[in-house]
Amino acid sequence: MEISYENFISRMFAKADQNSIPLSGAFELTSRCTLDCKMCYIHQNGGNCPSAEKNGEWWVNLAKEARNAGTLLLLLTGGEPMLHPDFEDIYLKCREMGLLVSINTNATLIDDEKVRFFKENPPQRLNITLYGASEETYEALCGNGKAFKKVMSAIKKLKDAGVKIKLNFSITPYNFKDAATIQQWAKDWELPVQPVSYIVPPVRVCGERVRLSPEDAAREHFLWQKRFYGNDMGEFVKTRDLPPDIEDFGECRNPNGDRITCRAGLSSYWVTYDGVMLPCGMIPQPKSEIKAFTDSFKFIREEREKIILPAKCKDCNFKKVCDNCAAVAFAETGSFSEAPEYACKKAQAYAKFAKQIF
């Protein structure tokens, strides 16, 4: 029986979860970026390499250790990873090791030469964040209106070259009115697009909390899904298992919360530009300064088991439509065990919108 790539990866993760194998990793090559997006969790615009930024040799050696420990899927991210002076060398050597490498990028540095490079050395996927549908939106949100045309040109050239692309779109007060346009472009271009309606507070830097109110974020997320599912939206909503009485927000009926259930620190990990391992890139702890890959992953793996999620969330009626996870709880409250009010309100608002479908 033929197995699809998606099913193969799912089976791999199931085995990796059972055996605590670091199947998937992210290398945050640099904190620098060509844009200055207001909600960024790193928020370091351009400039010279910070002294703590690791060089190409360090990343390649780490990739070898990670591969030997079981890593197969690798994401190169930043900042803008292509700003790293050794980006191409790191990328090529990771591919040569047999790693399936994807890249997060804002596409502002993808010119004809880079298109040829990726055509000749195709990544598993290029994840391009599209921040808006106009120069005006890019100027307001990213501080660089001219970047818009560069990104649009890069998407077209990469698509024509046959490079596999996925679009990401973070919904903020500066670009939510562009959401329907972005969604239609993705459909016209026959490209997958992933919206992000929950913006994590930038806990790793002193950045701005630039995001919609929880009610508005829920509305935009719901409208995106409504445009996507069309006449099938009602059937989709039924899978959300919404409570019969939408006003019944539930009460805390358990003295203790659940343990962390995602793959962070179990079969996946994140390495920051200055050589620190985290369970995921959205929370600053637990952390381990990397001396040896296996030692750091073992530490992260053990520490994640000590994380207890909010007791209030355990039996919540809105669990299936909520963004809450360990990273969200910590980013919102500074604690893994305290329920994040913003996520609660967003889930409740989404449920009210969804209830109107029936």
Side-chain angles (χ1 to χ4, degrees):
M1 182 178 66
E2 186 176 345
I3 300 176
S4 69
Y5 173 79
E6 290 75 14
N7 286 337
F8 170 73
I9 294 299
S10 294
R11 292 186 183 187
M12 290 283 286
F13 267 115
K15 290 291 186 182
D17 290 345
Q18 290 174 4
N19 296 286
S20 300
I21 296 171
L23 181 65
S24 174
F27 287 2
E28 182 187 275
L29 300 184
T30 180
S31 60
R32 295 172 295 125
C33 191
T34 53
L35 301 178
D36 194 20
C37 300
K38 296 182 183 299
M39 70 291 188
C40 185
Y41 63 90
I42 294 181
H43 214 77
Q44 186 172 353
N45 187 24
N48 297 321
C49 298
S51 59
E53 188 172 297
K54 301 299 183 182
N55 62 26
E57 183 181 4
W58 190 91
W59 287 110
V60 171
N61 288 334
L62 183 68
K64 290 177 182 176
E65 291 185 54
R67 180 203 59 186
N68 293 340
T71 296
L72 174 64
L73 307 173
L74 182 64
L75 174 68
L76 300 183
T77 186
E80 171 48 56
M82 294 180 208
L83 271 177
H84 194 288
D86 301 322
F87 168 77
E88 290 190 6
D89 186 56
I90 296 168
Y91 171 69
L92 290 174
K93 287 180 177 175
C94 287
R95 286 181 80 250
E96 289 168 4
M97 292 178 204
L99 297 171
L100 303 180
V101 186
S102 297
I103 302 166
N104 279 355
T105 178
N106 60 32
T108 57
L109 296 178
I110 297 180
D111 52 15
D112 291 342
E113 184 180 341
K114 275 289 192 290
V115 171
R116 285 193 295 271
F117 174 77
F118 287 124
K119 183 177 181 179
E120 294 170 3
N121 308 281
Q124 190 69 16
R125 189 169 65 189
L126 272 179
N127 304 312
I128 297 176
T129 302
L130 190 54
Y131 289 101
S134 69
E135 289 187 13
E136 291 74 19
T137 301
Y138 263 74
E139 185 65 38
L141 180 59
C142 309
N144 187 347
K146 294 180 180 179
F148 172 69
K149 288 184 179 179
K150 291 182 181 180
V151 175
M152 295 295 283
S153 175
I155 291 172
K156 182 181 185 305
K157 290 177 179 179
L158 288 165
K159 190 173 183 300
D160 290 344
V163 179
K164 191 174 181 181
I165 302 171
K166 174 194 169 192
L167 301 178
N168 293 324
F169 180 66
S170 299
I171 304 174
T172 74
Y174 293 87
N175 65 3
F176 73 93
K177 292 182 180 179
D178 293 355
T181 301
I182 299 292
Q183 199 170 11
Q184 186 59 50
W185 283 352
K187 184 177 181 181
D188 295 342
W189 297 336
E190 298 181 320
L191 293 176
V193 57
Q194 180 176 342
V196 177
S197 59
Y198 172 75
I199 305 298
V200 181
V203 293
R204 289 177 53 194
V205 293
C206 297
E208 301 178 52
R209 288 202 175 197
V210 177
R211 58 183 180 181
L212 296 165
S213 70
E215 294 77 15
D216 288 344
R219 181 197 66 231
E220 291 304 317
H221 188 70
F222 176 78
L223 290 176
W224 184 288
Q225 291 179 330
K226 192 175 181 181
R227 290 190 294 266
F228 180 82
Y229 287 103
N231 295 332
D232 295 327
M233 184 63 182
E235 291 303 313
F236 170 76
V237 167
K238 287 180 182 179
T239 68
R240 304 295 88 185
D241 289 343
L242 298 175
D245 184 356
I246 217 67
E247 297 299 331
D248 177 17
F249 297 153
E251 298 178 357
C252 177
R253 296 185 290 277
N254 284 281
N256 298 304
D258 288 320
R259 292 187 181 277
I260 180 173
T261 56
C262 70
R263 289 176 174 144
L266 179 63
S267 58
S268 66
Y269 58 90
W270 185 287
V271 181
T272 64
Y273 70 94
D274 52 355
V276 173
M277 185 180 289
L278 305 171
C280 83
M282 298 299 107
I283 53 175
Q285 59 176 281
K287 62 183 180 180
S288 173
E289 184 176 351
I290 298 175
K291 302 297 183 184
F293 177 89
T294 52
D295 291 344
S296 288
F297 186 74
K298 182 175 183 291
F299 174 80
I300 293 295
R301 172 71 180 85
E302 292 171 350
E303 290 299 305
R304 82 179 291 279
E305 293 304 314
K306 300 175 184 178
I307 296 175
I308 303 296
L309 298 176
K312 181 179 179 181
C313 301
K314 190 167 186 177
D315 290 325
C316 180
N317 291 330
F318 301 92
K319 200 170 185 177
K320 284 198 173 184
V321 295
C322 186
D323 297 303
N324 190 36
C325 67
V328 172
F330 190 91
E332 294 286 347
T333 71
S335 168
F336 292 116
S337 58
E338 185 175 343
E341 183 180 359
Y342 181 97
C344 295
K345 289 182 177 179
K346 182 173 178 285
Q348 293 162 9
Y350 176 90
K352 287 184 178 180
F353 284 116
K355 205 71 172 178
Q356 295 171 13
I357 287 292
F358 296 105

